[in-house]
Amino acid sequence: MMRIDRLCLCDNGTAFAFTTERGYAGNSGPYSEFNCCDYTGDSPEHVAMSRDKLCNALGIPAERLITARQVHGTDVAIISDYNQRAGEADALVTNLQGIAIGIFTADCVPMLFYDNEADVIGAAHAGWKGTMNGIAANTIKAMSALGASAGNIQAAFGPSICQECFEVGDEVVEQFRERGLPLDKIMRRNKSTGKAHIDLVEANIFWMEKCGIDKNNILRSQLCTKCNPSRFFSARALGTESGRNLTGILIKTR
C-alpha cells in the first residue's frame, strides 16, 4: 500500500505538494514497502514499481518525475526542459507545468517552495551540512532566477528528525556558530547528558527569513522520522542502506 500525505502550499488548485510514506513496513526489510530512491541499495525492480505507482497517483508519465542524486551539498539544478535529468544536486527548481520535482530523505530535512504568482516551484534536501551552508537560500536564489519573489514564496517542511533525536558533537555546533546561525534559537543541551541538539528545521527557517520569506508563509511539520520508523524511512533507525521518503511538488497542467 502506498500512502501520500498532501502538504498544503496553496489553495488555488494550481500546485500539488506531497510526501510519501513507506507503507506497510512489517518485517520485510529496510526497503519495504514503498521506495522510489534508486541509489541506496534497493532492487531496480522495486524502485521502478514504486515510482510507477507514484506517477500513476500524480497523473503524470514516469519520465516526468525528476529527482537527483543527493550528495549533501548546496548545488541547485534548474529544470528547464522536459527531457532534462538532474544529475547530482541537493535541490531542484522549475517553472514547467506537469513535472514533479522531488528529493529523498530519511531523517534529513525536506523543503518545498512555491511562488503561485510566478508559478515557480522548488524542492530541497538539507542534512546538517546543507542546512549549515544555506541550501535553502540557494534554492530561493535559483527560484528568483526564474522570476519568483521571496515575498510571494510559500514554504513547507516534510517529516524529518526532530531536535530531541538529533544529537551532535560540539565540533558541529562550532561550525554552525562560524556560519553565523543563531545558536540560541536552534540549539539546546540535554541537561542529563550535556550533549547538544540542533533543530534543523528552525535552522533552515533562519535562512528562509533571511532571504525574505514571511514566517507566516512557512509550514512546519510536526512529524519526526526517527520517532516513526514504521511510517517513514529513518537512516538513524534503519541504517543508511534503507529506503527514502520522497517529498515533491508539481505545477498542475492547465
Side-chain angles (χ1 to χ4, degrees):
M1 178 185 297
M2 177 187 66
R3 292 198 294 263
I4 299 178
D5 278 354
R6 185 180 188 277
L7 299 179
C8 294
L9 278 182
C10 64
D11 57 9
N12 60 5
T14 59
F16 182 75
F18 63 92
T19 187
T20 63
E21 300 184 26
R22 64 181 297 191
Y24 174 71
N27 297 313
S28 303
Y31 301 102
S32 67
E33 172 188 17
F34 181 81
N35 171 49
C36 290
C37 185
D38 60 356
Y39 58 86
T40 59
D42 198 359
S43 72
E45 295 78 14
H46 183 235
V47 170
M49 179 184 68
S50 298
R51 292 176 76 100
D52 284 345
K53 284 184 178 180
L54 176 59
C55 290
N56 286 336
L58 296 174
I60 59 173
E63 63 271 16
R64 294 285 178 90
L65 172 60
I66 299 181
T67 57
R69 186 178 183 90
Q70 297 157 198
V71 293
H72 291 274
T74 56
D75 287 344
V76 182
I78 297 178
I79 306 302
S80 55
D81 184 275
Y82 284 100
N83 296 314
Q84 182 179 342
R85 300 298 94 183
E88 287 190 352
D90 281 86
L92 304 92
V93 302
T94 191
N95 58 2
L96 297 178
Q97 296 182 12
I99 280 183
I101 55 173
I103 48 88
F104 300 116
T105 59
D107 290 334
C108 293
V109 178
M111 300 177 286
L112 299 179
F113 305 85
Y114 179 44
D115 182 330
N116 64 358
E117 292 189 14
D119 261 359
V120 180
I121 54 177
H125 155 263
W128 72 264
K129 290 181 180 178
T131 297
M132 178 183 69
N133 291 317
I135 184 67
N138 284 10
T139 306
I140 296 164
K141 181 179 179 180
M143 290 178 67
S144 299
L146 294 178
S149 170
N152 295 329
I153 291 177
Q154 300 172 71
F157 292 90
S160 62
I161 195 167
C162 68
Q163 183 176 21
E164 183 176 350
C165 290
F166 191 58
E167 178 183 297
V168 299
D170 285 344
E171 71 284 357
V172 173
V173 174
E174 187 56 32
Q175 290 182 65
F176 272 77
R177 187 195 312 277
E178 290 173 356
R179 291 290 284 119
L181 279 90
L183 294 182
D184 58 323
K185 293 183 178 180
I186 69 169
M187 191 273 288
R188 67 171 180 81
R189 290 194 179 273
N190 184 306
K191 292 182 179 179
S192 61
T193 66
K195 297 292 186 179
H197 292 251
I198 286 180
D199 186 335
L200 290 177
V201 171
E202 194 63 40
N204 281 289
I205 289 175
F206 162 78
W207 288 111
M208 292 179 186
E209 291 186 320
K210 187 174 182 179
C211 289
I213 294 182
D214 190 315
K215 65 180 180 181
N216 294 317
N217 287 339
I218 302 173
L219 177 66
R220 181 171 181 158
S221 173
Q222 302 301 317
L223 293 168
C224 172
T225 47
K226 186 175 183 295
C227 290
N228 298 278
S230 63
R231 185 175 176 184
F232 302 104
F233 290 112
S234 166
R236 290 207 173 193
L238 300 169
T240 56
E241 292 187 357
S242 59
R244 297 292 185 268
N245 315 301
L246 175 58
T247 301
I249 183 171
L250 78 156
I251 305 171
K252 297 179 180 179
T253 302
R254 299 190 292 280

